[in-house]
Amino acid sequence: MLLRRLSQHVKSQNWFAVALDFVIVVLGVFIGLQISNWNDARAFDQLERNYLVQLKDEVALNRRVTEYQIVYVDTVVESGKRALVYLESDQQCEDDCADLLVDFFHASQVWGAPRTLTIFEEMERLGLPRDAERRQTLLDLYRFLEGWDVVNLSPPAYRESARGYFSPEVSEALWRNCMRYPDGDVEELVRDCVDDLRAMDTSAVLEDMRASPDLANHLRFWIGQNVTAQVLLPDALGYSDSAQAAIDEALAQ
């Protein structure tokens, strides 16, 4: 309709009408583009908000995993220290042999936690969040989480050495009742196997372990690795809290 009218105005050489029609066409295209851009921006705003809602849950889950890891490495370190005292002494274990053997077992554990990075990685691919300061706060947390398990990519030598002294019966008791998976994901170190171990000759196992020329050195190294975790892991809690605050601030807008 508009193009037909424009053609008629050209034929009649009504240049004012031609100019007016041209302005109307350009203005219509401009308004159409603006509406399209506004709709796209609004849709992208909603997309970012939806991702932030999901990311809030992901950050909370990773924080819970970090809290678990802190308890876990504390158990590994304290167990390792008690085991090392025995290895460096010439005293018999006497009536605490079963408890001490559990220490050797717990000290050999390698933390492994199912951290989730999926939502953040997808947001990063999309360039979200768009706020630079908020994005940096999230990067601080996820860069820490991504690099953390490099400390334990390979099981320590102590793990293989110590467990080589466990008989099948001892191993069964240790694995059955001295660790558990309360929610199917995280692993907890407990001592419910002690009574089963007391029915076995654990003192002989411990004496054989103390006679090893390398076990104490392997244990010292592994304790040191876990002490690193004790020192650094609490930083992740601070990063997590900052990330949660940044997300809450964005969602409140």
Side-chain angles (χ1 to χ4, degrees), residues 111-124:
W111 72 77
R115 287 204 175 90
T116 304
L117 310 177
T118 306
I119 302 301
F120 176 76
E121 289 174 347
E122 181 61 16
M123 290 184 69
E124 194 172 28

Side-chain angles (χ1 to χ4, degrees), residues 86-87 90-102 104 165-167 170 194 196-212:
Y86 170 78
L87 291 177
D90 56 3
Q91 301 297 314
Q92 298 295 318
C93 59
E94 298 178 354
D95 59 350
D96 62 346
C97 297
D99 268 320
L100 188 55
L101 193 59
V102 174
F104 277 93
Y165 291 95
F166 301 158
S167 68
V170 167
V194 172
D196 294 334
L197 291 173
R198 283 180 177 141
M200 305 175 192
D201 186 7
T202 53
S203 62
V205 176
L206 291 168
E207 285 300 318
D208 288 343
M209 296 176 81
R210 183 156 57 183
S212 168

